[in-house]
Amino acid sequence: GAVEKIIWNYKLSLEKKNNIVDIQYLNQVNKDNSDIVHIHIANLALESYNKGIPYIFSLHDHHVVHYGKNSGNYQQNLEAIKKSVVSITHAEYLIDFFDETDKLFYLPHGVDNTFFTGDGKPKIEHKLLCLANNGIGGDSSYDRKGFLYAIDAAKNLNLPITIAGPENNMEFFKHYPEYLKYDKLTLKCNEPSENEILELYRSHSIFLHPSALEAGHPNLTILEALSCGLPVVGTYEGTRPIKGLVKIQRDVKSVTDGIIHTIKNYKKI
């Protein structure tokens, strides 16, 4: 999952700066042997507080918006923020959403741009790519990542498209079997490794991200694609300008128009 990947990237990046970083279960943490305890899940943050362990909290949970401010999910995350030393989130809109606290700050995601690089080969043909885990809150039929918009746009333009990600995506397509009939659709929903993900970015020409809800703006896959020199056609709610991202709305016409614009201006984008 994305949170686990983020934790691992923090470890690798901090170790490059000569820090000692351990990934531990909470019952292994000794506050006397740790300068900083960084927690990424709300219930663990509250358990840490009850144990008397000060912590920094990272908020990654887009379900707080999905379920709303009256939900237990929102209240748990709010409590975790309030009881933290300081908290960070990777989506600007979540700062305003949590308007009951002044402890939450925005910190954009980063990626390893020594690993996520282009291969320098020119694109012979245009191929579209979606890489994500679809669904939300246990509902595998919910098109949070916009696969259906992407496939419909690909069909409009008669372009090949690959949908990649975890096996859970196959549960999504059980609800929409008619979309599997598009003869230029390729599914690679087999938990691709980091090396396989890198090859997907390198072997496609445009990354599609018509997402409805994210806890990262930009999120990891957008940054990985851009780092590989891959233009992105996607939704984006942040205020920071992102070169290489063509911002679209979540409808088929907007996605289609975004792809056409990207193809016409490919070298510049």
Side-chain angles (χ1 to χ4, degrees), residues 118-127 199-206 228-231 266:
D119 57 11
K121 297 178 182 178
K123 304 299 183 184
I124 304 301
E125 61 175 343
H126 283 290
K127 297 173 63 177
E199 181 53 33
L200 284 169
Y201 290 132
R202 289 178 171 180
S203 60
H204 291 75
S205 65
I206 299 173
C228 291
L230 200 60
Y266 195 79

Side-chain angles (χ1 to χ4, degrees), residues 76-93:
Q76 186 182 59
N77 278 278
L78 176 62
E79 185 180 359
I81 294 166
K82 286 183 173 180
K83 290 179 175 177
S84 69
V85 177
V86 68
S87 294
I88 54 179
T89 186
H90 309 286
E92 291 173 274
Y93 74 93

Side-chain angles (χ1 to χ4, degrees), residues 16-29:
K16 287 179 181 178
K17 296 181 178 293
N18 299 317
N19 297 286
I20 299 171
V21 184
D22 297 315
I23 298 174
Q24 297 182 327
Y25 291 108
L26 187 57
N27 60 7
Q28 297 174 306
V29 175

Side-chain angles (χ1 to χ4, degrees), residues 125-163:
E125 61 175 343
H126 283 290
K127 297 173 63 177
L128 311 175
L129 172 66
C130 290
L131 172 64
N133 181 19
N134 218 346
I136 193 170
D139 181 1
S140 61
S141 69
Y142 189 90
D143 191 14
R144 181 170 72 92
K145 296 290 188 173
F147 288 175
L148 304 186
Y149 299 98
I151 295 171
D152 279 335
K155 290 166 69 175
N156 285 345
L157 299 171
N158 195 32
L159 287 174
I161 181 170
T162 299
I163 306 289

Side-chain angles (χ1 to χ4, degrees), residues 196-254:
E196 289 170 331
I197 289 172
L198 177 62
E199 181 53 33
L200 284 169
Y201 290 132
R202 289 178 171 180
S203 60
H204 291 75
S205 65
I206 299 173
F207 185 76
L208 301 183
H209 188 75
S211 176
L213 185 62
E214 296 289 343
H217 283 278
N219 72 339
L220 288 183
T221 53
I222 286 178
L223 291 173
E224 290 170 358
L226 293 172
S227 188
C228 291
L230 200 60
V232 175
V233 175
T235 52
Y236 173 63
E237 297 177 34
T239 61
R240 295 159 58 96
I242 299 179
K243 294 180 179 180
L245 184 144
V246 176
K247 186 175 178 180
I248 48 92
Q249 303 300 313
R250 233 174 88 95
D251 62 69
V252 176
K253 183 180 185 305
S254 185

Side-chain angles (χ1 to χ4, degrees), residues 111-117 227:
V111 295
D112 182 355
N113 58 12
T114 63
F115 177 79
F116 288 105
T117 63
S227 188

